[in-house]
Amino acid sequence: MSIAYLDPGNIESDLQSGAKAGFKLLWVLLGATIIGLLLQRLAARLGVVTGMHLAEVCHRQYHTVPRVALWLMVELAIIGSDMQEVIGCAIAFRLLSSGRIPLWGGVLITIIDTFFFLILDKYGLRKLEAFFGILISVMAITFGYEYVTVAPDQAAVLRGMFVPSCGACGSAQLLQAVGIVGAVIMPHNIYLHSALVKSRKVDRSNQTEVKEANKYFFIESCLALFISFIINVFIVAVFAEAFYGRTNEEVYRTCNETGSAHLDLFPLNNQTLEVDIYKGGVVLGCFFGPAALYIWAVGILAAGQSSTMTGTYSGQFVMEGFLNLRWSRFARVLLTRSLAITPTLLVAIFQDVQQLTGMNDFLNVLMSLQLPFALIPILTFTSLPTLMNDFANGLFFKVGGGLTVLGVCCINIYFVVVYVTQLGSVWLYVLAALLSLLYLGFVGYLTWLCLIALGLSFLDPNRNKEVASNILMERPMESES
């Protein structure tokens, strides 16, 4: 679960946040992580109390059409996340080989390493979790090394983290703040976490044991997200201290003095430096030596490799839950990896690393759009007394969760609108308007069901329960067990 907060998409959002806004947006990162923690708590509670993960609950509670539509949206998010992991690994291999491994070569290598994880999976979930722990440690050490090397102002880090302030932020910085929320809270991670808790044995007939399990899963989530938050802070602080406010010309001069082979990345002008995962590694090498570049690449590689398997697991649980299909993990990986690698490979062959980074930005927008299809169902089902019994959300979580979901969805819709308007194509505006009507209609339908579950509709309680039974296909738990 921690890995999904450290994938290449998150890392790119972190470094751009530091380079564009300095330390000003660290409080946004902290807030997004706390919101993510509360959502993960709901996901874990659903799995612990019901013995089913979110996709399985969607299968039994929603009718066929919304269920299939939900499945398609979540699959789209998983494929988009998988593409980001492939892009991150390809860029890492290019940096580590000093350009000798082409981008398409790095993409192809990621096909092989996926099957290595499948072999490792045969030795049991605990060993796989231990391997993930090693990869997270690699990220902590590599990005921690960059943090120590750059030595950012600790007072500025703490001030940016705990004192919300963006009064002088421009449109680019505000857009970056929105992007942080979209990158941190991943839709497929909600589905994944609700399934992973089932790997622990809990006696669901014992209410005390269920309550205890919920408590310890929440503590575990706090620890996991604290570690991922610290690593994200390392990345933001490094680029805030070293590259905030720098121009392309400054970077060009420094890279020229160090004999860098990547001078073409920095045009000779006084425009503010814009960085991505690839350029970030290059500028670190120019300013802090080759070791900083290679250590950065190792951290990116660890992030891409580890998040590969989370996408695989998410896809497995989502397909089995929504469609009740039992594919082998090999067949599942072959399908999703092919869908993710094919467009990425074409871009890597016929374009350059800049277009690959542009694809990464587009994928962040795509996953922002999919967010309501995880947040609304998890809030809906954890609020149903017929499903959660005594562990249904109380008033605080109903109101707070509803406002959180509304806020996150509005933020991400704003992010998407700004992204589309920057493209400047009339045909894209028309297409976006048509798709938006369908999208908002489906989100509105799910929201209506959520309001019924929350007990906030205008119907009287008895009528409300009757409508919920008709729409959400409420069935007693015993029918599944």
Side-chain angles (χ1 to χ4, degrees), residues 280-294:
V282 171
V283 294
L284 283 172
C286 292
F287 281 80
F288 302 103
L293 185 153
Y294 291 117

Side-chain angles (χ1 to χ4, degrees), residues 416-477:
V416 173
V417 169
V418 172
Y419 179 83
V420 172
T421 54
Q422 288 176 343
L423 298 177
S425 171
V426 176
W427 290 108
L428 283 176
Y429 292 163
V430 174
L431 179 61
L434 293 175
L435 292 176
S436 296
L437 291 176
L438 294 174
Y439 174 84
L440 292 174
F442 188 38
V443 171
Y445 172 78
L446 294 178
T447 303
W448 176 46
L449 300 184
C450 185
L451 289 174
I452 292 173
L454 292 172
L456 298 177
S457 70
F458 295 106
L459 301 171
D460 64 84
N462 293 329
R463 177 64 177 156
N464 193 45
K465 186 174 182 180
E466 179 185 338
V467 172
S469 299
N470 290 335
I471 295 176
L472 286 170
M473 298 200 309
E474 298 223 53
R475 290 175 261 179
M477 290 290 296

Side-chain angles (χ1 to χ4, degrees), residues 4 74 77-78 81 85 186-193 310-311 314 367:
V74 178
I78 292 171
S81 176
E85 292 146 13
M186 308 287 281
H188 65 281
N189 201 32
I190 306 296
Y191 287 87
L192 175 65
H193 195 204
T310 62
S314 299
M367 277 182 287

